[in-house]
Amino acid sequence: MSERPRRLSRRTLLASGAAGAAGLAVGAAGASAVGKDPDSQDLGRSTVPFRGAHQAGVTTAPQTHATFVAFDLRDDVDADGLRRLLRIWTDDIERLMSGRPGLTDTEPELASRPDRLTVTVGVGAKVVEVAGAEVPGWLGPLPEFVIDRLESRWSGGDLILQVCSDDELSVSHAVRVLTKEARTFVAVRWVQRGFRGPVKGPDLPRNLMGQVDGTAAPAASEHDRLVWVGDGSRQLFGAQPAWLEGGTTMVVRRIAMDLDTWDELDRPSRERTIGRRLKDGRPLTGGSITDDPDLEARDSNGLEVIDPFAHVRRARTEDRTQQFLRRPYNYDDPPASGDLTNAGLVFVTFQADVDRQFIPIQARLAELDLLNQWTTPIGSAVFAILPGTGAGGFLGEALFS
Ligand code: HEM
């Protein structure tokens, strides 16, 4: 860790331009040193690349821990301040994701095991406005749905950091470094923490209702059309502002589960609510876990095998552009006095177009979905996930051009 400059204000470094160059040179060396370690997986040293056309943490196989931090931009921050903040975050995120401490890290040892750390940065309308760029119409609160019981303490925000890793310590440390660096520019608005099962191994990722969750997803070959903003999505949904090219959109819904009344339901009724088996996540109409449920299938009495109001039936339409990438995390927080549980999902989706992909499906589910009896959306926020950045660039650079 000897490369870490001591007692140098990071603002001075960044203003002089030295940090960018030094950071990049060290970055390449640091990353390759980590990569050469034959036991890197076991030691928690594995890394996800930071630089590229897209940010990491969207199509990255979900890590087991996540913290979502939403911030309000302070009123006195102008375009120059915003640019400084985005440069600072870019530099520190690159360092942390490669297993190196932040530039002014006071706990540098905590950076050495990133364990697939990713930090993904998103912005809200105020940030785009302050930067002087075009604010797209969808970048604001979602329309109100009848099922919503939204609380302001879980909703909105001008900026978001999604911090994920297979090691909770790595998440905590990255959040601490990045929040501390940003404190003169932003104030924390809300924090949501989540966890989920590993993506590898025999156990399937489950939510706290016991269901295998996150099975149906757009194929990787569809990401350029359905997830990333670019030529592919433009053909389907029309143009987005140029600064979002290579980015995506993010919806964060905090959905409370009533596990105590869910407990009262027998197993067949639970499976009927979703339309998939609890044991292994297979559709009730058979086939493998990756097969689509057969929505036409009928039983010997002529009744639909997948209930007309089952979650999986309501969550899909024949218009297959209405799909999105779900990257949900469970939460299990201390209950309020007198309650037994305070659990649910930090339900996160990424899609090229909020209006054309997410909203129609959420509206269908709000109208009718057996699951609604046990779930309640209590938080909601929408962000534009900035495009990735190449060598020498910083996140959000295109906002200022
Ligand atoms: C606490 C709330 C929720 C729970 C427990 C839940 C659970 C599930 C489960 C178990 C599945 C089947 C397995 C899978 O494909 O992942 C599923 C599928 C799905 N859910 Fe949810 N879900 C919730 C909320 C939502 C919301 C709010 C949306 C959309 C706005 C949504 C959209 C979908 C979609 C699109 C599918 C895939 C349907 C398909 O194509 O087969 N879910 N969900």
Side-chain angles (χ1 to χ4, degrees):
M1 305 304 162
S2 54
E3 86 271 11
R4 193 171 64 90
R6 296 189 162 224
R7 294 195 187 173
L8 267 178
S9 132
R10 80 166 306 140
R11 298 247 182 124
T12 325
L13 278 166
L14 287 169
S16 72
L24 283 176
V26 174
S32 66
V34 168
K36 272 182 203 156
D37 185 339
D39 295 318
S40 60
Q41 290 280 347
D42 297 334
L43 292 173
R45 300 248 154 83
S46 48
T47 55
V48 177
F50 168 70
R51 300 270 171 192
H54 310 302
Q55 286 196 73
V58 176
T59 54
T60 307
Q63 301 92 327
T64 50
H65 296 279
T67 295
F68 302 82
V69 190
F71 301 90
D72 289 326
L73 191 69
R74 295 193 189 279
D75 286 337
D76 58 353
V77 176
D78 59 8
D80 279 347
L82 192 59
R83 201 185 280 113
R84 277 207 306 280
L85 170 65
L86 291 168
R87 276 186 190 279
I88 290 172
W89 270 354
T90 301
D91 179 52
D92 267 342
I93 292 170
E94 178 166 38
R95 288 166 167 270
L96 292 165
M97 280 178 58
S98 67
R100 292 172 300 125
L103 194 62
T104 59
D105 205 327
T106 43
E107 287 80 29
E109 292 79 9
L110 295 185
S112 63
R113 294 166 52 132
D115 226 349
R116 297 204 303 127
L117 175 74
T118 57
V119 181
T120 316
V121 182
V123 298
K126 183 172 172 186
V127 164
V128 181
E129 234 169 68
V130 168
E134 180 194 345
V135 181
W138 53 264
L139 192 53
L142 293 176
E144 213 177 301
F145 300 102
V146 287
I147 51 171
D148 287 358
R149 300 289 177 270
L150 302 185
E151 301 174 25
S152 59
R153 64 184 171 136
W154 304 122
S155 302
D158 299 328
L159 287 143
I160 190 164
L161 294 179
Q162 175 195 263
V163 184
C164 302
S165 163
D166 289 326
D167 182 342
E168 213 173 352
L169 194 65
S170 165
V171 172
S172 246
H173 176 248
V175 167
R176 167 81 180 136
V177 168
L178 298 169
T179 307
K180 197 161 62 169
E181 291 289 5
R183 69 186 150 195
T184 54
F185 305 95
V186 295
V188 173
R189 183 183 176 97
W190 53 254
V191 177
Q192 303 193 47
R193 295 202 175 87
F195 59 92
R196 53 179 290 154
V199 279
K200 287 189 186 149
D203 294 327
L204 299 156
R206 289 180 186 268
N207 63 38
L208 292 167
M209 288 174 138
Q211 303 144 356
V212 178
D213 203 347
T215 315
S221 57
E222 291 280 57
H223 289 173
D224 280 341
R225 283 166 17 110
L226 299 178
V227 180
W228 302 117
V229 172
D231 287 343
S233 70
R234 205 165 13 253
Q235 280 168 20
L236 290 179
F237 308 118
Q240 294 270 15
W243 58 263
L244 195 58
E245 192 87 8
T248 180
T249 77
M250 178 194 208
V251 174
V252 185
R253 304 271 286 170
R254 186 174 182 87
I255 307 179
M257 294 172 170
D258 189 340
L259 294 182
D260 299 327
T261 55
W262 177 251
D263 274 357
E264 293 162 5
L265 211 61
D266 62 21
R267 233 173 136 82
S269 309
R270 291 179 182 206
E271 294 185 326
R272 196 176 129 240
T273 302
I274 293 292
R276 285 183 176 266
R277 299 190 341 178
L278 281 166
K279 183 167 175 259
D280 48 21
R282 294 181 192 195
L284 292 183
T285 45
S288 80
I289 186 166
T290 49
D291 283 337
D292 289 338
D294 176 359
L295 300 180
E296 306 300 322
R298 295 190 175 255
D299 64 15
S300 51
N301 297 318
L303 298 173
E304 285 159 309
V305 179
I306 308 276
D307 191 282
F309 306 147
H311 183 66
V312 297
R313 185 190 287 277
R314 296 294 298 167
R316 58 160 57 212
T317 65
E318 290 194 350
D319 178 352
R320 298 314 285 148
T321 64
Q322 292 182 357
Q323 288 188 76
F324 35 79
L325 199 66
R326 287 173 294 143
R327 216 171 179 278
Y329 281 84
N330 302 305
Y331 73 82
D332 185 10
D333 287 351
S337 162
D339 288 349
L340 277 183
T341 55
N342 175 9
L345 279 187
V346 186
F347 181 80
V348 178
T349 70
F350 297 99
Q351 53 279 304
D353 191 312
V354 174
D355 287 343
R356 308 277 292 279
Q357 295 172 280
F358 183 84
I359 291 181
I361 298 296
Q362 176 62 91
R364 264 170 75 85
L365 293 174
E367 187 186 64
L368 265 183
D369 173 7
L370 290 176
L371 198 57
N372 288 345
Q373 197 171 331
W374 298 276
T375 58
T376 311
I378 56 171
S380 186
V382 177
F383 299 96
I385 295 297
L386 297 170
T389 182
F394 66 94
L395 292 169
E397 206 167 352
L399 281 170
F400 302 93
S401 53

